[in-house]
Amino acid sequence: MNNFNTIQALIRDLPVAFDTEQVSLGEAYNRVLRQDIFADMDMPPFHKSAMDGYACHFEDIGNTLEILEVIQAGMTAKIPVGKNQCVKIMTGAAVPDGCDCVFKLEESEQVDDAYVRCTNSKTSMNICYRGEDYHSGELLISKGTIINTPQMAVLAGAGQTAIEVCKAPKITLIATGSELVDPSKKPESGQIRNSNASQVISQLSKMNLEVIENLTLADDYQKLMEAFDAALDKSDIVIFTGGASVGDFDFIPEILKEKDFKIFWDRTGIKPGNPMTFSQKDDKFVIGLSGNPVSSLAQFELIAKPVIYRLMGASYRPLRFRASLAFDYFRKKADRLAIVPVLINEEGQISEIPFHGSAHINALVSANALLEVPLNVTNLKKGETAHVRPL
Ligand code: AMP
Ligand code: MG
């Protein structure tokens, strides 16, 4: 039986499926890096003053020092600093050759216009030494990293302006269900608004991905098949929502079989969200999510996101951490990994929010994390710890 752990192992074994492209630094944020980034020079590139103050020889601390010149960031010293001499120096400026100490402005005493003395005989050196952050040739960012804010700064610092990243896969989203109407419409009897499309599109957008087409289709085998064919022609990934289960009108598994797709799994072992397929044929991938909104959200977060990142060559690891429960949790059946929307409160504890199950998407509005209750665990006592994933 496929449970969540086997699925994770299957995801790890998936190949990198999409090509790379070069983007400018300005376009690199939130893309998947597909090259290693090495330092082209030492950082800092020169001995750099960490303070606004005076650069001198440490052995002269305590003496009255002659001020030779003022060095601001971006400039270098013109005159060598000798015995009992110093330069006034600003943060970020290059420390003159031979100087081994910068004493802070706040620890200085002006003797007259041209002379100064350090008031702290135990001053720190206040120098960032050349290469202390990294050396030329050092690996700075590994292939597979999802480029976040710190990586943007490091890329810029390393002079990287043409960066190899994963090409965004072309994705078509097909929400299935004869009961679905567009959010702009008032549902008539038996109908509901399509909320999954917005949900999935926003999930993709967090990954810096877009859908090339967003379709809503009735549970009509023929129409679904035609739309699927058209979608396969122009997309790398087709995401379905709904119709993933075993009902009379749940056509997605049937369509995939008919089309000779390899089905990696069709059950997830998570609750809510058991029926979900992931399948492949050649270089095309299909993700079939549940129709129930909380199920599709949990499936996307726990499974579809790692799948897509893996296919993109990203070394993605979701942020999970243990926190203690502020309530007693109980369930009767523990045959699946339970995913429970919760609120991490200001004390960092997991607190309960009203939640009625897989259709109750508005519960998620007040949630900021998903609690994981492991397989075979029925009880979690207040004060015990469990894994949570921030939303
Ligand atoms: P299904 O997976 O197609 O059996 O759908 C399960 C439940 O989710 C049903 O109550 C559907 O009406 C509902 N549902 C399916 N698709 C959507 C959607 N796109 N937006 C909101 N609810 C949906
Ligand atoms: Mg349906």
Side-chain angles (χ1 to χ4, degrees), residues 296-364:
S296 59
L297 188 143
Q299 290 166 343
F300 194 97
E301 194 57 39
L302 273 82
I303 301 171
K305 193 172 176 179
V307 163
I308 298 170
Y309 268 144
R310 174 71 205 145
L311 297 173
M312 292 177 75
S315 41
Y316 168 71
R317 196 169 56 85
L319 176 61
R320 294 166 72 231
F321 56 87
R322 293 190 81 93
S324 71
L325 275 107
F327 67 103
D328 288 325
Y329 174 88
F330 173 73
R331 60 173 170 164
K332 274 195 201 131
K333 250 173 101 179
D335 57 342
R336 287 189 260 159
L337 165 71
I339 301 300
V340 187
V342 289
L343 182 73
I344 307 285
N345 64 26
E346 282 185 15
E347 276 70 51
Q349 295 161 331
I350 306 165
S351 54
E352 192 175 16
I353 56 169
F355 177 55
H356 310 144
S358 58
H360 192 193
I361 190 69
N362 46 320
L364 274 289

Side-chain angles (χ1 to χ4, degrees), residues 51-161:
M51 293 290 168
D52 293 325
Y54 295 89
C56 66
H57 301 277
F58 184 71
E59 60 183 24
D60 296 338
I61 289 292
N63 301 344
T64 296
L65 306 177
E66 182 192 357
I67 307 166
L68 297 177
E69 59 177 323
V70 180
I71 309 176
Q72 70 185 84
M75 296 172 84
T76 48
K78 291 182 206 76
I79 320 162
V81 179
K83 174 91 190 136
N84 290 333
Q85 290 183 322
C86 68
V87 292
K88 192 170 190 187
I89 192 166
M90 304 302 143
T91 305
V95 175
D97 287 347
C99 292
D100 54 0
C101 170
V102 173
F103 61 88
K104 293 196 274 191
L105 214 55
E106 297 87 325
E107 293 178 351
S108 73
E109 183 180 67
Q110 200 79 26
V111 176
D112 62 38
D113 272 1
Y115 288 89
V116 71
R117 197 168 41 227
C118 177
T119 55
N120 176 10
S121 62
K122 294 196 180 83
T123 174
S124 311
M125 297 309 171
N126 299 316
I127 296 173
C128 306
Y129 294 98
R130 175 178 177 151
E132 77 175 20
D133 295 348
Y134 57 75
H135 287 107
S136 178
E138 211 170 288
L139 175 66
L140 299 179
I141 314 175
S142 303
K143 190 172 165 171
T145 301
I146 299 161
I147 299 170
N148 203 341
T149 304
Q151 286 81 7
M152 285 300 289
V154 174
L155 287 169
Q160 295 285 338
T161 49

Side-chain angles (χ1 to χ4, degrees), residues 175-177 179-181 190-197 199 216 219 241-247 249-250 275 289-293 296 358-359 361:
T176 72
E179 73 281 30
L180 300 180
V181 297
Q191 297 183 322
I192 55 160
R193 291 195 177 104
N194 173 7
S195 69
N196 286 347
Q199 183 200 125
T216 309
D219 299 307
T241 78
S245 194
V246 292
F249 298 95
D250 290 336
L289 301 173
S290 287
N292 271 309
S296 59
S358 58
I361 190 69

